[in-house]
Amino acid sequence: MKIATWNVNSIKARLPTVLEVLKTIDCDVVCLQEIKCETDAFPYLEIEELGYNCAVHGQKTYNGVALLSKHQLEDVVKGLPDNEGDDQARYIEALVMCEHPIRVGGLYLPNGNPAPGDKYDYKLKWMDCLLSHATELLKQEDAFVLAGDYNVIPRDEDCWDPAVWRDDALALPSTRAAFQKLKWLGLTEAYEAADGRAHEYTFWDYQGGAWQKGHGIRIDHLLLSPQAADRLEKVEIFKKAREMEKPSDHVPIIAELTD
DNA sequence: ATGGCAACCAATGGTTGA
């Protein structure tokens, strides 16, 4: 089965592009971030036509996440548990009822710039909350995937120029340390495990011809529980999405697991 | 010295993102 994550940067502004990409990558499960619409405004009909069930945690103007699945979705959770006071729609989770059911959490981790500051504090608090939730999920000893826009550049070789990103909230040592903590819990970063090549990216800024110059960063990730990691076959970054009409600044990253 | 690009809401400019 194939699980994808993709920050679409507004689903209303580029619905034809989104539908085209979804048809092409043909995944079982897709986690979408930055849908930038309220739950009721989600284009359910168009996406259901592609064979997907939709669970949506929307928000006006900013953020907003959705889970699309060709299998039944059960036990939908909106918002990161025990993150009281967080009014931003950044997390959605459900149990995907395929042959071997798998729990999937879709997340849009805060950017955190400028750092230091309130926004960076919010990012680190959010990461700590995600760590707690992952700890709880691991106790169940079942297959699960936490996929999304982590806004984390894990290694220097995951960006085109480390000097440019050194003091950025996406690459600061505290950010990388918080991401590393998730891995130390026992989660496997799918790209690193299945491929791991340097200078492969999932985001290119719209500005300054970043795509044409190859000035990207790898910030969209899938973290797998041990039971899911055992099933990992390959990972693909769907770069073609960045060449389409009205592209998102992110492209999908897809993990393929055995059924 | 600063914008660059894109989307949003609101309104012909300000905010946010990464």
Side-chain angles (χ1 to χ4, degrees), chain A residues 74-212:
Chain A
E74 289 187 1
D75 194 17
V76 176
V77 177
K78 297 181 182 183
L80 204 49
D82 300 319
N83 198 16
E84 272 82 27
D86 186 13
D87 56 358
Q88 302 189 22
R90 294 180 175 275
Y91 187 82
I92 187 164
E93 178 185 303
L95 190 58
V96 176
M97 300 306 290
C98 48
E99 188 184 348
H100 300 289
I102 184 163
R103 187 169 292 275
V104 177
L107 62 101
Y108 175 44
L109 210 146
N111 172 304
N113 280 304
D118 292 348
K119 291 190 172 179
Y120 193 58
D121 293 343
Y122 173 64
K123 177 178 192 150
L124 292 181
K125 181 173 176 290
W126 210 94
M127 293 184 87
D128 196 47
C129 214
L130 182 63
L131 184 76
S132 299
H133 185 51
T135 304
E136 287 306 306
L137 289 179
L138 279 164
K139 289 178 183 169
Q140 298 169 20
E141 300 190 344
D142 289 328
F144 70 85
V145 178
L146 295 175
D149 176 359
Y150 278 75
N151 272 314
V152 173
I153 302 168
R155 316 169 297 185
D156 277 352
E157 57 265 43
D158 297 316
C159 65
W160 59 280
D161 183 359
V164 168
W165 294 95
R166 196 191 58 202
D167 298 322
D168 193 280
L170 279 60
L172 281 172
S174 304
T175 304
R176 287 182 174 167
F179 189 69
Q180 185 62 47
K181 271 190 176 179
L182 287 163
K183 297 204 283 180
W184 280 333
L185 278 185
L187 300 183
T188 296
E189 200 246 282
Y191 177 83
E192 186 184 40
D195 185 319
R197 276 174 299 156
H199 305 295
E200 290 293 321
Y201 310 126
T202 62
F203 169 91
W204 297 261
D205 202 302
Y206 289 122
Q207 300 182 65
W211 165 250
Q212 288 76 10

Side-chain angles (χ1 to χ4, degrees), chain A residues 17-18 54 67-68 75 77 79 95 112 171 180 196 199 209 215 224 248:
Chain A
T17 309
V18 170
C54 305
L67 279 180
L68 318 181
D75 194 17
V77 177
L95 190 58
Q180 185 62 47
H199 305 295
H215 291 180
L224 314 181
S248 167

